[in-house]
Amino acid sequence: QVQLVESGGGLVQPGGSLRLSCVASGSIFSIYTMGWYRGAPGKQRDLVATITSGGRTNYADSVKGRFTISRDSAKNMVYLQMNSLKPEDTAVYYCNADRGYTNYGAEFRSWGQGTQVTVSS
């Protein structure tokens, strides 16, 4: 079983910064894409940013130039550096692992439980 655990959320003032981290644990052989999505609990999750094992990144237009995604594939970790935060960035941020493979050859797609980010003065 593969588990994803996020950390780094919190309350920040507009214009501030936060760094989210996510670690994937379990019998993991490889993960092709890791990423961040956001939304309200129980609602649709919108793409924030993704990064492939080759380092190719993709960002939502609303965060381009403000957020930076990175990963440490050896540690199965992905990060999201969020700068110039706006109140509309307030959401639960979910870590995602897509097109992953376990050491037993099984493909998996997993989500973390989410971490709350609140941008408010």
Side-chain angles (χ1 to χ4, degrees):
Q1 184 176 1
V2 175
Q3 292 186 323
L4 276 64
V5 178
E6 304 98 336
S7 61
L11 173 64
V12 63
Q13 292 187 343
S17 298
L18 280 176
R19 187 182 192 228
L20 305 183
S21 299
C22 171
V23 59
S25 62
S27 183
I28 299 170
F29 177 74
S30 66
I31 302 173
Y32 182 67
T33 303
M34 298 190 78
W36 294 93
Y37 292 72
R38 65 186 181 188
K43 298 293 180 66
Q44 177 180 320
R45 299 171 184 178
D46 297 323
L47 169 74
V48 176
T50 60
I51 183 168
T52 68
S53 55
R56 187 176 66 206
T57 58
N58 182 44
Y59 294 93
D61 288 342
S62 59
V63 307
K64 283 181 181 177
R66 300 188 298 123
F67 291 10
T68 302
I69 190 170
S70 60
R71 70 186 282 180
D72 184 337
S73 294
K75 297 180 179 179
N76 291 319
M77 294 194 71
V78 63
Y79 309 95
L80 185 68
Q81 178 66 44
M82 304 186 293
N83 299 328
S84 302
L85 282 160
K86 305 175 181 179
E88 51 264 42
D89 294 318
T90 296
V92 178
Y93 283 70
Y94 298 92
C95 178
N96 171 263
D98 194 22
R99 293 178 61 187
Y101 291 89
T102 69
N103 290 325
Y104 308 104
E107 186 173 357
F108 67 87
R109 186 172 197 246
S110 295
W111 291 92
Q113 292 298 308
T115 185
Q116 177 70 46
V117 171
T118 302
V119 184
S120 175
S121 55

